Amino acid sequence: MPSTKVVDLAAHPLTAWRGPLGLPDFAHIGDGDFSPVFDAALKAHEAEIDAIATNQEVPTIENTLAALELGGEALDHVSSIFWCRAGAYTNETIQALERDISPKMSRHFSAISMNEKLFARIDDLYQRREALKLDPETLRVLEKTWKGFVRSGAKLDADGKIRLAKINEELSSLGTTFGQNVLADERDWALFLDEADLAGLPDFVKSSMAEAAEMRGRKGRYAVTLSRSIYEPFTTFSERRDLREIAYRAFTMRGQNGGASDNTTVVRDMLKLRAEKAKLLGYASFAALKLDDTMAKTPMAVHALLDPVWEKALEKAAADQKELERLAAKAGSNEKFAAWDWRFYQEKLRAEKFAFDEAELKPYLQLDRIIDACLDVATRLFGITFQEKKGIAAWHPDARVFVVKNADGSERGLFLADYFARPSKRSGAWMSALKSGYKLGHGSQPVIYNIMNFAKPPAGEPALLSVDEAKTLFHEFGHALHGMLTDVTWPSVSGTSVSRDFVELPSQLYEHWLTVPAVLEKHALHVKTGKPMPQALLDKMLATRTFGAGFATVEFTASALIDMAYHARPDAPEEPLRFEAETLEKLDMPGTIAMRHRTPHFGHVFAGEGYSAGYYSYMWSEVLDADAFAAFEETGDPFNPALAERLRKNIYAAGGSKDPEELYTAFRGKMPSPEAMMVKRGLV
Ligand SMILES: [Zn+2]
C-alpha cells in the first residue's frame, strides 16, 4: 500500500544516523518504517539526478561526476540497513518488503543508467577526458562510469531500453524469490533425533544439535539442520549411514522439493532473461557480458584456469576414493560407496593417516580467541587497533560493535559482527558495509560488518569452531579489512568495489595468517586448561592442510564449471536441471561427490547477479593469494613490515582506484602463474 505519511529524511532514524558512535539508532527503527522511507528516499534521489541531468552549465567533474557519486545518501542509508536485516535478521514483513523493494530499486537504477540527458553529460566529460588532465583515480572513475552506463543500455534505442529495464526488474524479483525459497527449505527442514541416534558424534555436534532443536521448540531432542555448521559435522561423524543419507539428500535437494519453494522454473526464467539481456547489449553470451570488466575478461581465460585444475582434481579424487572404499570395506560395510559416505570415511582416513581427528582441534578454537587472533593479526600487519563497545544496540542483540583506530589513535571507522546462526538469518558468511569509506565531499568513515552462521552454544558455554569455520572467520575479516583500510577519494571505487575475480584476494590471503604458528600459539588456547595447542597437534594440523584436496577441489570446480556452462552459451537451456546433469556427465563428475552448490540453491549465482558467471573468481583469487602469501614466506617473516606496508597500500587500501593487475604487480613485482595455487591445494 503506498504510504501517505510525510517522511522527513533529515530526521528519520533510518536515514539520519544519530545513534551512538554515529550508527543508526536501531532501537527506534520499526519494520513498518522501511516502506515509506524507501519511497521518500527514492524520490529524493530522483530529484538529485534530475538536477544533475538538467543542469544548464557545461558538465564538469564537480557538477556531474561528483554530484552523481555523492547523490542518493538517504537511499544508501535506508538500503544498507534494509539489506542487512534481509540477510541477517529477516521475518515475514521484511521478506514481503524485499519482494516489493527489489523491483523498485531495479526500476530506479535502470532509469538512471538510461537517462539520456545524464548520459550525454557523462559522455561529454568522457570524450574530453584527455583535455581535462584528471588525476589517475578520477580518470578511472570517469571511464568506469561511462562504461557502466553503456553496459547498462545507455546506447540502446527506446524499445531496447524499455525491454532491458523490464528484464532487469524481472531478474531482480526472481533473484529475491530464489533466495527466499532456499531460506524456506533450510528453515522448514529439520531431522529431530534422540540420544540413541547420536553414535559417533562429538560433544560439540551434540550440543549444537540440542540448541538447534530447542530453537525450534523441541527442547530435549537433537536437530540435524541444513546449516553447514551442523550438516557438515553431522555427515562427517555420524555412524548412522541411514541418517547421513537422509541429511545428504535434504541438503542437496534444497530448492528442488516441489511446491511453492521450488526454484526449478525460477532458474529457467533467469537464464533465459540473462541470455536475452546479453544479446540486447551486443555480447555473445551472458558470461561474455559479465566477464568484460573482470581480470579474466573472457570465458576462454576462465576455462584456461579451471580445465587443467579439473583434470588434476578428478585424478586425485579417484585415488582418494579407492582408499576410502578400502576403509569402508575394512569397517565391514557391504554397501556401495556413496556420496554420504565420503566425509565420514575421509575423517576416518585422516585419523588413520595423521593419528588425530578434527574434534581434537576444536577445544583450542574458541570463537572469542579466534576473533582476537583476527584483530591481532590486523594490528601486527597494518597498525590498526580495535576496541569493543558493549551495550550498543545494532540490528540484533547478538551483533557486536568495535571502534577501529589508526596507529596514531585517530578514528578510522567501525566494525560490527554477528556470529551465530538463527532461523531468521540466511546461510553462509559474508561481509558488507553500512557505510563505505571515501574522501570525496565531506568524506565518510567506513562502517563494515561481518555475518557468520556458527552454531550457538548453550548459555554460559563458549562457542568452539572447526578449522574450516575459523578460516571462514579470517576470510570474512579479510573482506572487512578491505572495507576498513580503504583510502580512496571516490565512493564507487571504495573498499571491495573491485573486479569480482580480484575481490577474494584480500579475504583468501588473510586466511593464511590463521595457521601461522605464532598466531596459533598465542590464540589457540584450550577452552578448559588455557594451554596453547601442543606443537605435535599443530604439526599434524599443518600436515593435513592439503588432505582431502581431491574432494574439495572437485566439489568447488564442478560448481564453477556448471556456472560457466549455463552462462557461456548464447541461449538458455529449457530444462536447467537436466542440463546440469548432462553437463556433469560430460565432465565425468564422480557420483560420490556432490557439487558444493547445486543449481536449485546456488545462491552465489541465482540469488542476485553477484557471482553469476563468476563463481570461478574464488579460484582466480586463490592463484593470487597463494602467490601473495609466498611473498611473506620468502622473507621468512609472516609479518614482514616492508611487505605488509606494500600490501596495505596496493591491495587493502587501494580499492578499485587502479587496474587490479597494476595493483598486484605494484605489490609483488609480477603477475603469478597457477602453480603456487595447485601446490597449495596439494594437486601437484
Ligand atoms: Zn569471500
Side-chain angles (χ1 to χ4, degrees):
M1 208 170 63
S3 129
T4 49
K5 266 195 296 181
V6 179
V7 174
D8 181 3
L9 294 174
H12 196 282
L14 274 172
T15 45
W17 293 3
R18 298 197 186 130
L21 305 173
L23 282 170
D25 185 3
F26 282 102
H28 290 98
I29 295 172
D31 293 354
D33 292 343
F34 285 108
S35 192
V37 172
F38 258 112
D39 286 344
L42 283 163
K43 273 220 179 69
H45 193 210
E46 270 165 31
E48 286 171 332
I49 295 293
D50 194 53
I52 301 168
T54 58
N55 191 338
Q56 296 301 309
E57 290 166 30
V58 174
T60 63
I61 291 297
E62 277 66 40
N63 74 19
T64 302
L65 195 64
L68 189 61
E69 292 250 341
L70 293 171
E73 193 185 56
L75 186 59
D76 285 346
H77 281 185
V78 60
S79 299
S80 65
I81 301 175
F82 181 76
W83 294 114
C84 173
R85 282 289 310 274
Y89 189 33
T90 192
N91 57 36
E92 278 179 20
T93 310
I94 298 284
Q95 290 201 320
L97 272 171
E98 209 183 337
R99 292 190 290 270
D100 180 49
I101 284 163
S102 302
K104 254 190 210 170
M105 294 286 273
S106 166
R107 271 198 297 276
H108 176 74
F109 288 106
S110 281
I112 294 173
S113 52
M114 293 179 202
N115 183 320
E116 286 175 14
K117 284 184 185 150
L118 182 60
F119 179 62
R121 291 179 72 82
I122 296 285
D123 192 43
D124 178 76
L125 287 172
Y126 178 77
Q127 302 305 338
R128 292 190 283 125
R129 65 192 182 283
E130 299 287 329
L132 292 171
K133 305 236 178 305
L134 305 171
D135 64 88
E137 186 183 332
T138 305
L139 176 63
R140 184 168 159 87
V141 168
L142 175 59
E143 286 173 347
K144 278 172 79 86
T145 305
W146 184 86
K147 274 186 203 146
F149 269 85
V150 173
R151 283 162 52 86
S152 308
K155 290 189 161 181
L156 291 177
D157 63 16
D159 285 350
K161 280 184 176 143
I162 291 168
R163 181 63 196 145
L164 184 60
K166 184 85 190 122
I167 291 173
N168 285 336
E169 194 182 322
E170 283 181 36
L171 278 172
S172 166
S173 290
L174 287 166
T176 300
T177 304
F178 184 95
Q180 293 189 352
N181 285 345
V182 177
L183 184 64
D185 277 11
E186 288 174 355
R187 188 189 53 214
D188 296 346
W189 193 90
L191 179 61
F192 293 100
L193 302 176
D194 295 310
E195 192 80 49
D197 304 317
L198 309 182
L201 299 181
D203 286 345
F204 78 87
V205 186
K206 288 187 205 167
S207 70
S208 309
M209 286 169 66
E211 182 70 15
E214 191 175 341
M215 239 186 246
R216 285 162 182 78
R218 306 274 190 104
K219 195 173 160 64
R221 302 199 72 196
Y222 299 87
V224 183
T225 69
L226 300 179
S227 162
R228 255 185 215 279
S229 284
I230 289 184
Y231 167 76
E232 284 190 357
F234 181 82
T235 48
T236 301
F237 294 108
S238 173
E239 284 170 17
R240 285 282 298 276
R241 190 171 194 264
D242 57 333
L243 301 179
R244 293 202 309 264
E245 179 176 355
I246 293 171
Y248 170 86
R249 290 192 187 280
F251 193 75
T252 52
M253 289 299 280
R254 285 171 296 147
Q256 197 190 339
N257 290 308
S261 63
D262 194 288
N263 272 329
T264 311
T265 58
V266 178
V267 168
R268 183 199 62 200
D269 295 348
M270 287 183 87
L271 290 173
K272 278 193 180 163
L273 289 165
R274 284 175 178 174
E276 187 188 345
K277 177 175 171 172
K279 204 169 179 184
L280 198 56
L281 290 168
Y283 288 87
S285 66
F286 185 72
L289 165 67
K290 289 285 290 191
L291 291 166
D292 192 31
D293 71 342
T294 60
M295 288 181 89
K297 294 194 172 63
T298 64
M300 233 169 65
V302 173
H303 278 285
L305 170 66
L306 294 181
D307 294 350
V309 170
W310 180 248
E311 291 308 316
K312 289 267 180 259
L314 282 183
E315 283 169 27
K316 183 85 179 63
D320 288 350
Q321 186 174 328
K322 285 219 171 68
E323 280 210 81
L324 299 182
E325 283 170 339
R326 173 185 63 78
L327 267 186
K330 206 171 97 186
S333 169
N334 306 315
E335 313 275 356
K336 191 168 177 320
F337 189 81
W340 44 92
D341 294 323
W342 195 293
R343 285 179 199 280
F344 181 74
Y345 287 108
Q346 183 158 288
E347 185 55 32
K348 294 259 180 285
L349 182 63
R350 184 214 303 270
E352 184 187 280
K353 270 200 162 155
F354 301 98
F356 100 123
D357 68 80
E358 268 269 355
E360 271 183 75
L361 291 170
K362 202 130 176 157
Y364 293 96
L365 301 173
Q366 297 176 63
L367 172 63
D368 282 340
R369 298 286 80 74
I370 303 302
I371 294 170
D372 287 347
C374 271
L375 307 181
D376 190 28
V377 168
T379 304
R380 289 188 68 175
L381 284 172
F382 306 124
I384 53 171
T385 58
F386 299 83
Q387 192 186 5
E388 183 164 10
K389 296 279 178 192
K390 301 261 188 194
I392 292 184
W395 55 88
H396 184 277
D398 280 353
R400 296 163 59 172
V401 181
F402 299 81
V403 173
V404 188
K405 291 195 171 163
N406 293 308
D408 64 6
S410 59
E411 228 165 78
R412 165 152 286 276
L414 296 176
F415 171 63
L416 284 76
D418 179 1
Y419 294 109
F420 297 121
R422 51 181 172 260
S424 60
K425 196 189 264 188
R426 80 172 156 82
S427 56
W430 64 97
M431 163 274 188
S432 192
L434 288 179
K435 241 166 56 169
S436 54
Y438 56 83
K439 289 180 264 186
L440 191 68
H442 300 299
S444 163
Q445 286 190 341
V447 179
I448 306 295
Y449 65 89
N450 274 170
I451 309 284
M452 305 284 151
N453 265 288
F454 303 139
K456 192 169 189 166
E461 284 181 32
L464 302 177
L465 304 180
S466 69
V467 177
D468 275 353
E469 288 172 329
K471 262 194 195 148
T472 302
L473 193 75
F474 268 69
H475 179 102
E476 296 306 332
F477 194 74
H479 282 308
L481 283 171
H482 203 188
M484 292 185 284
L485 288 168
T486 202
D487 187 22
V488 301
T489 300
W490 291 84
S492 67
V493 291
S494 168
T496 54
S497 302
V498 297
S499 142
R500 200 187 37 200
D501 45 13
F502 188 68
V503 78
E504 298 300 330
L505 169 61
S507 52
Q508 294 182 169
L509 175 57
Y510 206 67
E511 290 175 31
H512 290 264
W513 275 278
L514 169 65
T515 46
V516 164
V519 173
L520 287 171
E521 277 157 26
K522 186 167 170 198
H523 299 284
L525 305 178
H526 194 278
V527 60
K528 293 238 167 69
T529 65
K531 295 226 168 81
M533 190 181 281
Q535 189 62 41
L537 190 57
L538 192 63
D539 289 345
K540 282 185 213 166
M541 177 184 150
L542 296 178
T544 62
R545 250 192 306 197
T546 59
F547 178 75
F551 177 85
T553 311
V554 165
E555 68 161 9
F556 169 84
T557 312
S559 287
L561 287 166
I562 289 290
D563 172 33
M564 287 311 290
Y566 277 138
H567 296 112
R569 47 186 279 173
D571 57 353
E574 228 11 87
E575 294 178 63
L577 295 178
R578 179 204 287 249
F579 179 74
E580 177 191 272
E582 287 170 357
T583 307
L584 289 175
E585 202 181 312
K586 272 187 221 148
L587 286 168
D588 289 323
M589 175 77 173
T592 47
I593 300 179
M595 295 165 68
R596 183 154 180 90
H597 309 277
R598 283 196 55 237
T599 302
H601 48 257
F602 203 167
H604 292 81
V605 173
F606 295 108
E609 274 192 8
Y611 280 77
S612 53
Y615 193 61
Y616 77 93
S617 302
Y618 291 95
M619 191 169 272
W620 190 276
S621 293
E622 196 178 327
V623 172
L624 301 174
D625 77 60
D627 179 67
F629 193 70
F632 283 90
E633 291 180 320
E634 284 159 17
T635 69
D637 176 6
F639 296 97
N640 184 296
L643 205 50
E645 175 51 20
R646 280 221 300 276
L647 182 65
R648 187 198 62 78
K649 181 164 174 254
N650 297 299
I651 309 291
Y652 285 91
S657 60
K658 287 183 186 153
D659 179 77
E661 277 199 38
E662 196 185 318
L663 291 175
Y664 191 82
T665 311
F667 161 65
R668 185 62 159 131
K670 59 176 176 28
M671 286 302 286
S673 73
E675 270 65 48
M677 181 272 288
M678 303 266 256
V679 170
K680 177 192 150 196
R681 282 197 168 236
L683 295 173
V684 285

